[in-house]
């Protein structure tokens, strides 16, 4: 398989077409952005770390019967993926209050939610990725009612798997963001990535609000040691896969 041309460059990945029409190559970058790209930087080795973590998690999800876009992981920072038509939605799941939920509702950081909260945001940089009501999502025809129901069902299954998996890594899964697409048979497929860029992950070893952070909040809040935290997550994921799953 060889790369034919650049299809799209996003904030964290470059997508290339390949000589196999239904397969794309995702190249994970070290570039980091936050606050709708107002804050920019680079985290050394991030591309390879996030690609490796995502690849391992997608493989586990596939084994649980969740269809993902993952094909294989030819280089540390490269993932071959099935070409899908991405829904312009960021599907956020929250188990514990943090980030924008605290800012917008006044809930205290760390409040344990009685049940997972699934939210949809409109993936639209110009509009600042606004939170959608279900009615607005349907109004804008971003997905059908049936697709929304399927996405919620898949998202809750993925949350259950990930909460348990990260618990085995001594990590609390606070919240995360998923993206879904439609494949050529109109099946809903989990796409994008699952990594410290897209999840809030807290080390169970400490309650210190800064030291416990093993995710992109280290970059957002200038907490330092960003690469070490990402590397720590990868090492725990690999160790858990060797011993536990
Ligand atoms: N998230 C993401 N990409 C986005 C927005 C959010 O991956 O464009 C993730 C984020 O890392 C966190 C979760 O979704 O794990 C919830 O984010 P939140 O709405 O609290 O927004 P933030 O505080 O990150 O602006």
């Amino acid at each position: 398989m060889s790369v034919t041309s650049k299809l799209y460059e996003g904030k964290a990945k470059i997508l290339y077409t390949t000589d196999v029409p239904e397969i794309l190559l995702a190249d994970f970058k070290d570039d980091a952005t936050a606050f709708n790209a107002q804050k920019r930087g680079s985290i050394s080795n991030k591309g390879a770390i996030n690609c490796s973590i995502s690849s391992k998690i997608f493989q586990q999800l596939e084994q649980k019967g969740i269809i993902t876009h993952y094909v294989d992981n030819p280089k540390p920072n490269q993932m071959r993926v099935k070409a899908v038509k991405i829904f312009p939605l960021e599907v956020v799941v929250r188990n514990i209050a943090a980030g924008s939920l605290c800012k917008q509702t006044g809930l205290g950081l760390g409040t344990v939610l009685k049940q997972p909260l699934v939210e949809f945001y409109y993936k639209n940089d110009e509009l600042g990725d606004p939170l959608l009501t279900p009615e607005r999502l349907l109004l804008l025809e971003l997905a059908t009612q049936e697709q929304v129901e399927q996405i919620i069902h898949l998202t809750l299954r993925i949350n259950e798997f990930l909460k348990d998996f990260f618990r085995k890594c001594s990590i609390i899964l606070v919240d995360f963001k998923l993206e879904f697409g439609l494949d050529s048979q109109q099946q809903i497929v989990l796409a994008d990535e699952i990594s410290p860029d897209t999840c809030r992950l807290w080390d169970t070893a400490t309650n210190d609000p800064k030291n416990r952070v093993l995710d992109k909040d280290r970059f957002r809040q200038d907490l330092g040691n960003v690469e070490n935290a990402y590397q720590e997550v990868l090492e725990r994921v690999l160790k858990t896969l060797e011993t536990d799953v």
Side-chain angles (χ1 to χ4, degrees):
M1 188 218 59
S2 59
V3 160
T4 46
S5 65
K6 194 195 264 194
L7 180 66
Y8 167 81
E9 178 155 4
K11 290 176 214 139
K13 292 183 282 295
I14 306 175
L15 272 183
Y16 296 95
T17 54
T18 71
D19 51 7
V20 184
E22 62 276 20
I23 304 284
L24 303 177
L25 183 81
D27 186 294
F28 285 59
K29 304 194 286 186
D30 290 347
D31 300 356
T33 62
F35 313 118
N36 204 7
Q38 283 167 34
K39 181 179 169 76
R40 288 172 185 274
S42 173
I43 301 169
S44 75
N45 224 18
K46 176 173 85 80
I49 295 172
N50 281 357
C51 183
S52 303
I53 294 170
S54 293
S55 298
K56 295 293 177 195
I57 290 176
F58 283 146
Q59 287 172 54
Q60 291 300 308
L61 288 169
E62 287 275 350
Q63 284 183 20
K64 302 279 177 274
I66 307 265
I67 305 169
T68 79
H69 71 159
Y70 176 79
V71 176
D72 62 12
N73 182 202
K75 283 191 193 165
N77 72 323
Q78 290 186 346
M79 190 190 292
R80 292 200 308 157
V81 299
K82 289 168 226 156
V84 296
K85 189 165 179 286
I86 297 281
F87 291 99
L89 294 171
E90 299 196 333
V91 185
V92 168
V93 191
R94 302 175 189 275
N95 297 304
I96 293 178
S100 67
L101 180 66
C102 295
K103 272 190 222 112
Q104 292 168 7
T105 66
L107 273 177
L109 175 67
T111 307
V112 178
L113 307 186
K114 287 203 184 92
Q115 57 188 45
L117 176 65
V118 179
E119 299 178 320
F120 292 91
Y121 293 80
Y122 188 11
K123 207 167 129 65
N124 184 318
D125 284 340
E126 264 170 47
L127 299 176
D129 297 345
L131 177 63
L132 289 165
T133 61
E135 291 79 7
R136 286 187 183 186
L137 191 164
L138 296 176
L139 172 80
L140 296 174
E141 298 183 346
L142 304 178
T144 66
Q145 178 70 44
E146 197 195 342
Q147 287 168 337
V148 171
E149 281 163 20
Q150 281 182 47
I151 288 173
I152 293 173
H153 179 74
L154 283 169
T155 297
L156 290 171
R157 278 178 63 196
I158 294 164
N159 184 43
E160 286 313 305
F161 167 77
L162 287 180
K163 264 196 305 191
D164 190 51
F165 179 75
F166 279 119
R167 190 184 46 74
K168 292 175 187 161
C169 302
S170 303
I171 288 171
I172 299 167
L173 177 62
V174 174
D175 59 28
F176 59 102
K177 185 259 307 182
L178 299 176
E179 292 185 26
F180 291 90
L182 276 184
D183 69 9
S184 51
Q185 289 114 57
Q186 304 300 299
Q187 285 191 109
I188 295 180
V189 175
L190 176 64
D192 195 45
E193 66 179 277
I194 297 179
S195 73
D197 265 9
T198 62
C199 303
R200 282 197 172 91
L201 303 168
W202 290 353
D203 191 348
T204 52
T206 173
N207 282 327
D208 181 89
K210 290 185 176 158
N211 291 337
R212 70 184 172 192
V213 175
L214 294 175
D215 58 65
K216 196 167 157 186
D217 276 347
R218 297 207 76 81
F219 170 76
R220 292 188 189 99
Q221 298 168 22
D222 294 316
L223 299 180
N225 286 326
V226 190
E227 187 197 342
N228 292 353
Y230 278 53
Q231 182 65 35
E232 178 68 25
V233 173
L234 174 59
E235 280 167 20
R236 292 195 199 183
V237 164
L238 295 177
K239 194 158 167 245
T240 300
L241 288 173
E242 265 171 32
T243 55
D244 231 14
V245 179

